[in-house]
Amino acid sequence: MNAENPIWALISTFGLMSLFAVGGAAAAVPEMHRIAVDVHHWMTDKQFTDAYAIAQLSPGPNVLIVTLIGYAVAGIPGALAATLAMCLPTALLAYYVSRLLNRPSQSRWPGLIQAALVPLSIGLMAASALILAQSTDRTIAALLLTVLVAAIASVSRINPLWLLLIGGLLGFAGIV
Amino acid sequence: MSPDSAPAAQEPDIAAGHAPRPGLPALFLAFARMSLAGFGGVLVFARHAIVDQHRWMTADEFNETFALCHFLPGPNIVNLSMVFGSRLRGIAGGVAAFSGLLLPPTLIMMVLAIIYARFGDVEVLRRILAGISCAAVGLLIAVVFRMMTPLLKRIDAVALLLMLGVFVAIGVLRLPLQAVLLLAMPLSIGATYLMRRKVAA
């Protein structure tokens, strides 16, 4: 980490990233992966996918994967710094914008911008899926499990937690 | 047939669906509870708690506020806690809802991080996490598929091309997010504007 303060690196990285995370936390995963694994070497590829799995399996917003990244970099202060840097700036922005736009329905621009952002966030989430799949699905059985879960979750309204637990059981049994 | 739907529709200005404004501890607890219930996504639980259970907002007010939070950057549900809390109790309410949503799960994540740092190399845990990861990626693909369906049904070629462009630039070429979005956002907004003008004309 050289002379650079890791806490400050976390704050500047995630503070800036949150302002570009259009479409929520899942859309920011490729950028998190690029920064944490490729640029700063804060984590290995395997640690990153583990962090993603832990964040999915835990209660609370899925954006809290940044808590795990922050902890890997600088312990508990790092976890708190990363979480606040990712969550507070855009929450404050949302607060001020919501006060400015007392009647958002009067203008057509919010609706237009929202519609324009939809394809971009889907593209970002698809990129997340590809990057995570490349480090997760290293065996035929693992790839098969991913495809099956994708198919089941696409056509049914089953609670996602069950599918995650089944994945964990298959892993425990050494099948994937 | 819901017995209270008719009077609620007749007097929308008297805030028929509204309960009294919650205090700050009540806001903190309500958001903490929906956050801890929200495995794999908090939004469903947030809507249930705010609209159905506590009646702090009507369904329309909720949708309007959520649309705003969705078009702003950042984690939507986190933005939503700040905006909802502040609409009910000012900036202090926003902070109460924000910390209620984040504090308990962040503490849980830190405990999990400590456990992972100590036992992440244990073979059984590695295998379990590998299985969960496969399933988690599958869930993400399903969300992408569900969001794509309306674009595919409309055969919205411009939107599908933009989506593919972002996917290739970020997922395959691994270009930085800021650079890609600074190019893609004006492109998409311009295209959407032109399409809507064509439809209106």
Side-chain angles (χ1 to χ4, degrees):
Chain A
M1 199 82 332
N2 305 335
E4 198 187 343
N5 183 351
I7 300 276
W8 175 245
L10 283 169
I11 290 174
S12 57
T13 299
F14 288 118
L16 186 65
M17 187 189 299
S18 73
L19 295 174
F20 282 87
V22 180
V29 165
E31 183 70 359
M32 288 180 193
H33 183 275
R34 196 180 71 85
I35 299 253
V37 178
D38 301 335
V39 177
H40 287 297
H41 305 291
W42 283 334
M43 313 171 100
T44 65
D45 205 33
K46 167 76 181 149
Q47 285 172 325
F48 186 88
T49 40
D50 282 353
Y52 183 77
I54 293 172
Q56 287 286 305
L57 195 65
S58 312
N62 294 336
V63 70
L64 291 183
I65 183 178
V66 299
T67 313
L68 297 172
I69 299 174
Y71 184 86
V73 176
I76 286 177
L80 290 174
T83 309
L84 273 182
M86 188 74 195
C87 295
L88 197 56
T90 57
L92 290 176
L93 179 74
Y95 169 74
Y96 284 111
V97 173
S98 83
R99 274 173 43 134
L100 272 177
L101 299 173
N102 274 329
R103 281 168 288 178
S105 53
Q106 295 244 318
S107 161
R108 63 201 187 106
W109 279 103
L112 194 147
I113 293 173
Q114 194 189 332
L117 294 182
V118 168
L120 308 187
S121 20
I122 303 175
L124 286 177
M125 290 169 68
S128 301
L130 178 69
I131 289 171
L132 290 166
Q134 279 169 349
S135 47
T136 303
D137 296 332
R138 294 194 183 281
T139 65
I140 298 287
L143 185 65
L144 210 63
L145 174 61
T146 298
V147 172
L148 267 178
V149 168
I152 293 171
S154 296
V155 297
S156 77
R157 297 216 162 268
I158 185 171
N159 188 332
L161 198 57
W162 290 114
L163 297 171
L164 293 174
L165 286 177
I166 291 169
L169 280 177
L170 289 174
F172 177 73
I175 295 170
V176 291
Chain B
M1 274 300 225
S2 151
D4 54 10
S5 61
Q10 276 165 6
E11 39 182 10
D13 290 340
I14 312 179
H18 285 189
R21 291 183 167 214
L24 297 180
L27 265 177
F28 179 90
L29 282 178
F31 274 86
R33 207 173 291 137
M34 62 183 87
S35 176
L36 291 176
F39 289 93
V42 176
L43 177 66
V44 181
F45 298 93
R47 197 190 170 285
H48 174 75
I50 292 168
V51 178
D52 303 329
Q53 191 187 344
H54 294 294
R55 295 179 171 238
W56 287 334
M57 284 189 173
T58 65
D60 282 337
E61 286 169 331
F62 183 92
N63 287 348
E64 207 170 285
T65 312
F66 178 68
L68 177 70
C69 295
H70 193 256
F71 108 83
L72 290 170
N76 301 329
I77 197 74
V78 179
N79 294 348
L80 192 133
S81 72
M82 183 66 96
V83 172
F84 272 40
S86 66
R87 290 213 167 159
L88 292 167
R89 288 296 287 200
I91 184 77
V95 173
F98 176 86
S99 14
L101 184 80
L102 285 179
L103 192 61
T106 302
L107 293 178
I108 292 175
M109 290 302 262
M110 288 200 290
V111 172
L112 292 177
I114 293 167
I115 294 173
Y116 179 79
R118 272 201 77 157
F119 301 106
D121 290 330
V122 174
E123 176 59 21
V124 174
L125 197 69
R126 296 201 74 88
R127 288 211 311 262
I128 294 175
L129 276 175
I132 294 172
S133 303
C134 295
V137 174
L139 290 176
L140 187 56
I141 294 172
V143 173
V144 170
F145 180 73
R146 275 174 190 259
M147 291 179 73
M148 259 173 67
T149 316
L151 301 183
L152 288 171
K153 273 187 184 157
R154 282 204 311 268
I155 322 180
D156 192 339
V158 177
L160 287 170
L161 267 177
L162 279 162
M163 185 189 80
L164 194 68
V166 169
F167 170 72
V168 171
I170 300 282
V172 180
L173 305 176
R174 305 280 174 103
L175 301 174
L177 181 71
Q178 279 94 328
V180 173
L181 284 186
L182 282 177
L183 184 71
M185 272 160 64
L187 259 177
S188 183
I189 290 171
T192 312
Y193 179 75
L194 289 176
M195 300 272 281
R196 290 200 173 180
R197 229 174 47 165
K198 224 168 74 180
V199 170

